[in-house]
Amino acid sequence: MLALPLRSAGLVLQHAHSVLEPGNVQAARIQDHLEYFLVVSAIVFALVMGAAIWAAVRRRPQTEDTRSARREAAAGRAVIGALGATVLVLFGTLVYDLRLGRALTHVPPRDALEVTVTGRQWWWEVVYEDPVPANRLTSANELHLPVGQRVMLRLQSADVIHSLWIPALGVKKDLIPGHFNAVWVEATRPGVFRGQCAEFCGLQHARMGLYVVAHERPAFKRWLQQQRAPAPAPRDSLAHRGRAVFEGGACALCHAVRGTAAAGRVGPDLTHVASRLSLAAGTLPNTRGHLAGWILEPQATKPGVIMPPSALHARDLQALLAWLETLR
Ligand code: CUA
């Protein structure tokens, strides 16, 4: 996990990778289930241990046959009673379990926001669907959610099998090539959570992270509006030069920045790269220095990644960084 304190829209990363701090409706239900199991198991454990200790330490007086026969009968009744209680507890647990399973897979209403998450080696493409094609928003390595609204995640893969795992949201589902999986989430509180690929998918599987940012609804709407906007025009000559370096160099072959000539679809869309919490799918803090290092020698950070090193002149690199930093 990144060592920097991460902030997005005033939200701070806290307990970001914990299943014990649920931030989603389903995660809260799973948490209840876990607590129920813990309590029931603890009671059963205490009773069994108590009985075992009692049996071990009680005195066994030498008595005549009739009393020991009566004891025998009482012990038999106790065993039958315990058996009945066991069946009852297990049956109750089974019913609870089935009901939970139904609740978790319940189909969301039609007005649910739809987000398509595509696993790629080794990053996440995140597309916010919209009935109006012009409003469809393509982003990467961050999933933004409105609190209190159901969001349908459509999961697919562009290459090998990945798995989207967001512990705080109780989400863990495979992304399979040629197949759509679906899972819905409803964030219950604002916050920043962490997701991680949970299916070995190649050399950089461990560096395939994702940040989930849950906003209150008005803040989410503002975020969506802002992200739909194309990149702002460069405001000074340095940024102008930076954009020219991007458009004229290798960057534009793989990356898209809306509002410029760059329309590559191989790597992440960088239209608002400066607004993101991390670089290289949760691998590096999004700072100028890390961005420079990543551009010059991505193989040093993520060996095997398809992004090639760039031999940029120092002044071109400075211009490129200056321009990229305006893409908020
Ligand atoms: Cu993607 Cu592991």
Side-chain angles (χ1 to χ4, degrees):
M1 195 179 298
L2 299 184
L4 285 193
L6 288 168
R7 284 166 198 279
S8 175
L11 304 170
V12 185
L13 186 91
Q14 258 184 342
H15 309 293
H17 207 82
S18 168
V19 287
L20 301 175
E21 303 276 342
N24 177 23
V25 174
Q26 291 126 303
R29 287 215 176 101
I30 295 170
Q31 170 94 341
D32 288 347
H33 197 248
L34 175 71
E35 282 167 9
Y36 165 83
F37 260 87
L38 277 177
V39 169
V40 170
S41 308
I43 292 171
V44 170
F45 180 77
L47 288 176
V48 170
M49 281 299 132
I53 291 166
W54 177 73
V57 303
R58 78 188 165 133
R59 285 176 51 216
R60 294 161 190 273
Q62 303 288 335
T63 52
E64 64 275 23
D65 289 352
T66 49
R67 279 186 67 190
S68 91
R70 227 182 297 143
R71 280 225 177 88
E72 202 73 17
R77 281 195 298 275
V79 168
I80 288 167
L83 199 69
T86 305
V87 170
L88 221 66
V89 168
L90 287 180
F91 189 72
T93 304
L94 177 71
V95 170
Y96 188 7
D97 204 53
L98 291 176
R99 286 191 54 175
L100 179 78
R102 272 179 71 105
L104 293 186
T105 52
H106 179 74
V107 178
R110 278 165 192 230
D111 65 340
L113 176 70
E114 228 180 87
V115 179
T116 304
V117 179
T118 308
R120 294 173 182 272
Q121 282 173 318
W122 294 275
W123 59 284
W124 311 86
E125 185 184 69
V126 182
V127 177
Y128 300 81
E129 306 288 352
D130 197 282
V132 182
N135 284 342
R136 209 165 166 262
L137 168 68
T138 302
S139 182
N141 300 327
E142 258 172 45
L143 173 62
H144 290 250
L145 301 171
V147 169
Q149 190 186 342
R150 293 225 174 142
V151 178
M152 187 74 168
L153 300 180
R154 282 157 50 89
L155 310 175
Q156 61 171 355
S157 169
D159 35 50
V160 299
I161 299 177
H162 303 272
S163 180
L164 178 65
W165 179 39
I166 312 168
L169 300 187
V171 169
K172 195 174 188 202
K173 201 95 166 169
D174 281 2
L175 294 84
I176 300 165
H179 175 82
F180 270 111
N181 259 341
V183 61
W184 66 268
V185 292
E186 182 184 330
T188 47
R189 61 183 167 94
V192 183
F193 313 109
R194 197 176 185 280
Q196 170 66 40
C197 183
E199 179 79 38
F200 181 71
C201 54
L203 207 54
Q204 293 303 327
H205 153 70
R207 294 198 186 96
M208 188 169 165
L210 167 101
Y211 282 99
V212 181
V213 184
H215 309 262
E216 295 293 357
R217 279 210 220 188
F220 176 77
K221 276 201 175 135
R222 280 198 300 278
W223 176 85
L224 207 57
Q225 286 292 328
Q226 179 250 329
Q227 294 281 315
R228 278 177 184 154
R235 258 172 289 174
D236 54 43
S237 58
L238 192 65
H240 253 289
R241 179 172 172 173
R243 188 175 73 175
V245 169
F246 191 92
E247 288 177 324
C251 314
L253 298 175
C254 295
H255 294 284
V257 175
R258 280 175 287 121
T260 74
R265 294 297 312 273
V266 180
D269 182 298
L270 300 179
T271 309
H272 294 282
V273 65
S275 74
R276 293 190 192 140
L277 293 167
S278 72
L279 298 171
T283 306
L284 298 169
N286 192 357
T287 63
R288 192 184 177 104
H290 282 107
L291 185 57
W294 175 249
I295 291 170
L296 290 177
E297 191 45 279
Q299 302 296 327
T301 305
K302 278 173 98 161
V305 73
I306 57 172
M307 182 162 157
S310 336
L312 284 173
H313 192 278
R315 265 183 302 179
D316 282 346
L317 177 66
Q318 291 307 327
L320 180 61
L321 292 170
W323 178 63
L324 287 172
E325 280 181 341
T326 68
L327 304 181
R328 298 211 61 84

